[in-house]
Amino acid sequence: MTLTQQIITIAMCVLGTMATRFLPFLIFRENKKAPEYINYLGRFLPSAVFSILVIYCLKDVSLLTGSHGIPEAIAIVITALVHFWRKNMLISIGAGTICYMILIHLL
Amino acid sequence: MKLKAFKAAFPYTLPILTGFWFLGLAYGIYMSISGFPFTYPLVMSMVIFGGSLEFVAVEMLLSPFAPLAALTMAVLIQARHLFYGLSMLEKFKGMGLKKFYLIFGLCDETFSINYTADIPEGVDKGWFMFFVTLLNQIYWVSAATTGGLIGSHLPFDTEGLSFVMTAMFVVIFLEQWAKDKRHASAFIGLIAAIVCLLVFGSDSFMIPTMITVIALLTLLRRPFEKAEQEDKK
């Protein structure tokens, strides 16, 4: 990517973010309620988006070559287990990441 | 008036300080080991100010140029902010110029404080919310920039540190999973993403995935809302 392309990419992220933050204030000025369809998406879309983002993080993991995604799988299980155990986001993320960094040297 | 509001706001932001420093530092280091100078996390944390998207933006910057995909992803990752805005319509009324900054900085953590905090009597609500927003952003930007500065000087092998993004989304996914009574939506996202990844490849599967998910959710609206009603009974 050239610098200009990087700037455009970052600008797109800013534009997307600010659209979601400013739109309600621009559209619903006078105590108008949001359409039911939007409220419905608001209740159901986040769960789907977070699943997609997990897959997005793993998009370049190859199951057929290299370490076959084993370090990723183990580190995700560790992250989840620590999260069930301690219920602390930062401890879970830290444990999972350190576990992964060790695993890629061992496997 | 401002000092009083600042003093009232500061304690509310302390729990965020730890979280933002941990994730912000990780984000800055991640950018640094991905080959970007500290100015990138500095500028990006300042102008985007949305943690999960900033992590994803690193991936975008390392991939082929695709502005439309970047915009689509940004909107969908941040879509939940639409509902923060809807909840704050009343509270932000009559805030004058401060309102622009309050809306600009309406990230998850800032929203959760400004939405729930019992602002003490005699404290100006506008300035209280302004300082919550400002302090949170200062924590985030300073952490991200520090991460960007120290990333290349860490005394250990940083290979694999990028897993911090995966671990973060796994944890967010689990938190959301625990909140949901039914998990059909989570499975739709999971399956759509895997199928689209296999069909379209890792560089261009996100837009088809998002379209598939929104289409499926729209088609399944009736049964989903019915199930929701039953859960409430």
Side-chain angles (χ1 to χ4, degrees):
Chain A
M1 251 193 227
T2 62
L3 181 65
T4 317
Q5 291 177 331
Q6 289 181 339
I7 292 172
I8 295 173
T9 304
I10 295 170
M12 288 297 145
C13 292
V14 176
L15 183 67
T17 304
M18 292 313 148
T20 64
R21 288 185 190 165
F22 279 91
L23 265 182
F25 294 90
L26 297 174
I27 300 174
F28 305 107
R29 271 190 197 163
E30 289 147 38
N31 299 333
K32 274 193 212 149
K33 280 209 168 146
E36 266 311 303
Y37 175 65
I38 298 292
N39 283 327
Y40 163 73
L41 283 184
R43 294 195 302 277
F44 285 89
L45 196 59
S47 314
V49 170
F50 294 131
S51 327
I52 296 170
L53 288 174
V54 172
I55 302 300
Y56 179 78
C57 294
L58 300 169
K59 67 184 166 71
D60 294 316
V61 175
S62 169
L63 297 178
L64 303 174
T65 53
S67 53
H68 306 286
I70 297 167
E72 286 81 7
I74 298 175
I76 287 175
V77 171
I78 300 279
T79 309
L81 288 177
V82 172
H83 197 65
F84 287 127
W85 175 39
R86 298 297 299 270
K87 298 251 179 272
N88 180 313
M89 193 171 178
L90 304 184
I91 295 178
S92 319
I93 295 173
T97 307
I98 292 168
C99 169
Y100 181 77
M101 292 171 78
I102 297 169
L103 281 171
I104 52 170
H105 283 285
L106 297 178
L107 295 173
Chain B
M1 183 169 79
K2 286 180 202 169
L3 185 69
K4 200 172 171 190
F6 180 84
K7 279 183 180 162
F10 181 60
Y12 279 93
T13 65
L14 280 177
I16 311 296
L17 176 64
T18 337
F20 270 18
W21 258 84
F22 178 91
L23 284 176
L25 207 57
Y27 162 67
I29 294 171
Y30 177 35
M31 283 229 80
S32 167
I33 59 178
S34 304
F36 297 97
F38 79 95
T39 41
Y40 279 74
L42 169 69
V43 171
M44 286 166 70
S45 59
M46 214 183 273
V47 295
I48 303 178
F49 194 41
S52 29
L53 177 62
E54 283 168 46
F55 274 95
V56 172
V58 185
E59 278 290 315
M60 291 180 188
L61 290 174
L62 295 170
S63 309
F65 182 55
L68 194 65
L71 180 64
T72 317
M73 288 210 30
V75 169
L76 282 158
I77 293 174
Q78 309 286 41
R80 61 184 187 286
H81 291 117
L82 284 169
F83 303 94
Y84 299 166
L86 289 174
S87 316
M88 298 308 276
L89 283 175
E90 278 299 311
K91 287 184 195 262
F92 285 177
K93 244 180 201 163
M95 291 298 164
L97 277 178
K98 283 197 287 299
K99 191 169 168 179
F100 285 98
Y101 183 63
L102 290 174
I103 300 173
F104 168 84
L106 196 59
C107 65
D108 304 85
E109 290 75 5
T110 300
F111 168 73
S112 65
I113 298 178
N114 281 344
Y115 185 67
T116 55
D118 281 318
I119 304 171
E121 275 204 33
V123 172
D124 184 86
K125 289 195 169 58
W127 284 109
F128 176 92
M129 293 195 284
F130 176 84
F131 284 121
V132 167
T133 314
L134 182 67
L135 283 166
N136 282 347
Q137 189 168 20
I138 289 173
Y139 303 155
W140 179 252
V141 174
S142 58
T145 309
T146 309
L149 284 167
I150 62 169
S152 48
H153 307 287
L154 291 177
F156 56 86
D157 185 359
T158 52
E159 197 192 347
L161 197 70
S162 59
F163 194 78
V164 70
M165 173 158 102
T166 312
M168 179 182 79
F169 283 125
V170 166
V171 170
I172 298 176
F173 170 81
L174 291 172
E175 295 268 316
Q176 183 68 37
W177 182 275
K179 264 190 248 165
D180 290 341
K181 280 208 175 113
R182 293 171 191 250
H183 306 293
S185 180
F187 280 117
I188 286 176
L190 217 50
I191 293 164
I194 293 171
V195 171
C196 289
L197 176 60
L198 293 173
V199 174
F200 297 96
S202 65
D203 277 338
S204 46
F205 78 110
M206 285 300 276
I207 290 190
T209 306
M210 301 287 192
I211 294 172
T212 311
V213 165
I214 292 186
L216 283 173
L217 284 179
T218 308
L219 285 173
L220 293 166
R221 184 175 168 193
R222 207 163 281 191
F224 276 15
E225 289 193 320
K226 210 173 164 192
E228 213 180 12
Q229 286 301 319
E230 278 166 21
D231 287 339
K232 276 182 193 160
K233 279 175 191 166

